[in-house]
Amino acid sequence: MTTDSSLTFVLAATALALVPGPTDTVIISNPKMLMLFGALIPPFISQGGEVARYTVMLGLIFAGIAVTRDTAYALMAGQAGAWLSEKRIRGLEITSGCCLVGGAAWMVLKGK
């Protein structure tokens, strides 16, 4: 595996890992994700190299990025929970209600 292809894979894995998801167990057990890995990993494995070692290494890179992303997501959710008081939640409810009423009024005026 060359340095350029390693860097390219890390950048691609980082871009994939930034997509938020409720849990990586669901992603890994998803047959479509297995097909995606089957399509993405082989180009980054050298022709005469140790396939098992490279596959494990690339999988560990993806897992490390996923753990980092999920940890940051959990920490942000915890902070959001502490930030939301009853007063702030009520403000969000009023704002979202106004948006729904505004959207309904817009649809009525458009005749849909």
Short mmCIF file of all heavy atoms in Angstrom, two decimals, residues 83-102:
data_model
loop_
_atom_site.label_atom_id
_atom_site.label_comp_id
_atom_site.label_asym_id
_atom_site.label_seq_id
_atom_site.Cartn_x
_atom_site.Cartn_y
_atom_site.Cartn_z
N TRP A 83 -28.27 21.64 28.36
CA TRP A 83 -28.57 23.01 27.93
C TRP A 83 -30.07 23.26 27.85
O TRP A 83 -30.53 24.38 28.07
CB TRP A 83 -27.92 23.26 26.56
CG TRP A 83 -28.16 24.62 26.02
CD1 TRP A 83 -27.54 25.77 26.39
CD2 TRP A 83 -29.09 24.99 24.98
NE1 TRP A 83 -28.02 26.83 25.66
CE2 TRP A 83 -28.97 26.37 24.79
CE3 TRP A 83 -29.99 24.27 24.22
CZ2 TRP A 83 -29.74 27.04 23.85
CZ3 TRP A 83 -30.74 24.95 23.28
CH2 TRP A 83 -30.61 26.32 23.11
N LEU A 84 -30.84 22.23 27.52
CA LEU A 84 -32.28 22.41 27.32
C LEU A 84 -33.02 22.44 28.66
O LEU A 84 -33.13 21.43 29.34
CB LEU A 84 -32.85 21.30 26.44
CG LEU A 84 -32.40 21.34 24.99
CD1 LEU A 84 -32.88 20.10 24.26
CD2 LEU A 84 -32.92 22.58 24.30
N SER A 85 -33.52 23.59 29.00
CA SER A 85 -34.37 23.72 30.19
C SER A 85 -35.82 23.72 29.73
O SER A 85 -36.11 23.72 28.54
CB SER A 85 -34.04 25.02 30.91
OG SER A 85 -34.37 26.13 30.09
N GLU A 86 -36.75 23.70 30.69
CA GLU A 86 -38.17 23.73 30.33
C GLU A 86 -38.52 24.99 29.54
O GLU A 86 -39.31 24.95 28.60
CB GLU A 86 -39.04 23.62 31.58
CG GLU A 86 -39.07 22.22 32.16
CD GLU A 86 -40.06 22.10 33.29
OE1 GLU A 86 -41.11 22.76 33.26
OE2 GLU A 86 -39.77 21.32 34.22
N LYS A 87 -37.91 26.11 29.91
CA LYS A 87 -38.17 27.37 29.22
C LYS A 87 -37.68 27.31 27.77
O LYS A 87 -38.37 27.74 26.85
CB LYS A 87 -37.48 28.51 29.98
CG LYS A 87 -37.74 29.88 29.39
CD LYS A 87 -37.03 30.93 30.21
CE LYS A 87 -37.22 32.31 29.59
NZ LYS A 87 -36.51 33.34 30.34
N ARG A 88 -36.49 26.76 27.57
CA ARG A 88 -35.93 26.67 26.21
C ARG A 88 -36.72 25.66 25.37
O ARG A 88 -36.93 25.87 24.17
CB ARG A 88 -34.46 26.28 26.28
CG ARG A 88 -33.60 27.42 26.78
CD ARG A 88 -32.15 27.05 26.78
NE ARG A 88 -31.34 28.19 27.16
CZ ARG A 88 -30.18 28.11 27.74
NH1 ARG A 88 -29.65 26.93 28.01
NH2 ARG A 88 -29.51 29.19 28.05
N ILE A 89 -37.13 24.55 25.98
CA ILE A 89 -37.93 23.57 25.25
C ILE A 89 -39.25 24.19 24.81
O ILE A 89 -39.71 23.99 23.69
CB ILE A 89 -38.15 22.30 26.10
CG1 ILE A 89 -36.84 21.54 26.24
CG2 ILE A 89 -39.21 21.40 25.47
CD1 ILE A 89 -36.89 20.36 27.18
N ARG A 90 -39.87 24.96 25.70
CA ARG A 90 -41.14 25.62 25.37
C ARG A 90 -40.93 26.59 24.19
O ARG A 90 -41.76 26.67 23.29
CB ARG A 90 -41.69 26.36 26.59
CG ARG A 90 -43.02 27.01 26.36
CD ARG A 90 -44.10 25.97 26.14
NE ARG A 90 -45.36 26.66 25.89
CZ ARG A 90 -46.30 26.20 25.11
NH1 ARG A 90 -46.16 25.03 24.53
NH2 ARG A 90 -47.40 26.88 24.92
N GLY A 91 -39.83 27.31 24.19
CA GLY A 91 -39.51 28.21 23.07
C GLY A 91 -39.35 27.45 21.76
O GLY A 91 -39.82 27.89 20.71
N LEU A 92 -38.68 26.28 21.81
CA LEU A 92 -38.54 25.46 20.61
C LEU A 92 -39.89 24.93 20.13
O LEU A 92 -40.14 24.87 18.92
CB LEU A 92 -37.59 24.29 20.89
CG LEU A 92 -36.11 24.64 21.01
CD1 LEU A 92 -35.32 23.42 21.48
CD2 LEU A 92 -35.57 25.15 19.69
N GLU A 93 -40.76 24.56 21.07
CA GLU A 93 -42.09 24.08 20.70
C GLU A 93 -42.90 25.19 20.01
O GLU A 93 -43.57 24.94 19.00
CB GLU A 93 -42.85 23.59 21.93
CG GLU A 93 -42.31 22.28 22.48
CD GLU A 93 -42.97 21.88 23.80
OE1 GLU A 93 -43.65 22.73 24.43
OE2 GLU A 93 -42.80 20.72 24.19
N ILE A 94 -42.83 26.40 20.54
CA ILE A 94 -43.55 27.52 19.94
C ILE A 94 -43.00 27.83 18.56
O ILE A 94 -43.76 28.02 17.59
CB ILE A 94 -43.49 28.76 20.87
CG1 ILE A 94 -44.31 28.50 22.13
CG2 ILE A 94 -43.96 30.01 20.15
CD1 ILE A 94 -44.14 29.54 23.22
N THR A 95 -41.68 27.85 18.43
CA THR A 95 -41.05 28.14 17.14
C THR A 95 -41.41 27.08 16.10
O THR A 95 -41.77 27.42 14.96
CB THR A 95 -39.51 28.22 17.30
OG1 THR A 95 -39.21 29.22 18.26
CG2 THR A 95 -38.84 28.53 15.99
N SER A 96 -41.32 25.81 16.48
CA SER A 96 -41.64 24.75 15.51
C SER A 96 -43.13 24.77 15.15
O SER A 96 -43.50 24.53 14.00
CB SER A 96 -41.23 23.38 16.04
OG SER A 96 -41.96 23.06 17.21
N GLY A 97 -43.99 25.09 16.11
CA GLY A 97 -45.42 25.22 15.83
C GLY A 97 -45.70 26.34 14.85
O GLY A 97 -46.52 26.19 13.92
N CYS A 98 -45.03 27.46 15.02
CA CYS A 98 -45.19 28.59 14.09
C CYS A 98 -44.72 28.21 12.69
O CYS A 98 -45.35 28.60 11.69
CB CYS A 98 -44.44 29.81 14.60
SG CYS A 98 -45.18 30.57 16.06
N CYS A 99 -43.63 27.47 12.61
CA CYS A 99 -43.15 27.03 11.30
C CYS A 99 -44.16 26.11 10.63
O CYS A 99 -44.40 26.22 9.41
CB CYS A 99 -41.81 26.31 11.44
SG CYS A 99 -40.45 27.40 11.87
N LEU A 100 -44.77 25.20 11.38
CA LEU A 100 -45.77 24.30 10.82
C LEU A 100 -47.01 25.07 10.35
O LEU A 100 -47.54 24.81 9.26
CB LEU A 100 -46.16 23.23 11.84
CG LEU A 100 -45.09 22.17 12.12
CD1 LEU A 100 -45.51 21.30 13.29
CD2 LEU A 100 -44.86 21.32 10.89
N VAL A 101 -47.46 26.01 11.17
CA VAL A 101 -48.63 26.82 10.78
C VAL A 101 -48.30 27.66 9.55
O VAL A 101 -49.10 27.78 8.62
CB VAL A 101 -49.10 27.70 11.97
CG1 VAL A 101 -50.13 28.72 11.50
CG2 VAL A 101 -49.66 26.83 13.08
N GLY A 102 -47.10 28.23 9.52
CA GLY A 102 -46.67 29.01 8.36
C GLY A 102 -46.60 28.16 7.09
O GLY A 102 -47.03 28.59 6.02
#
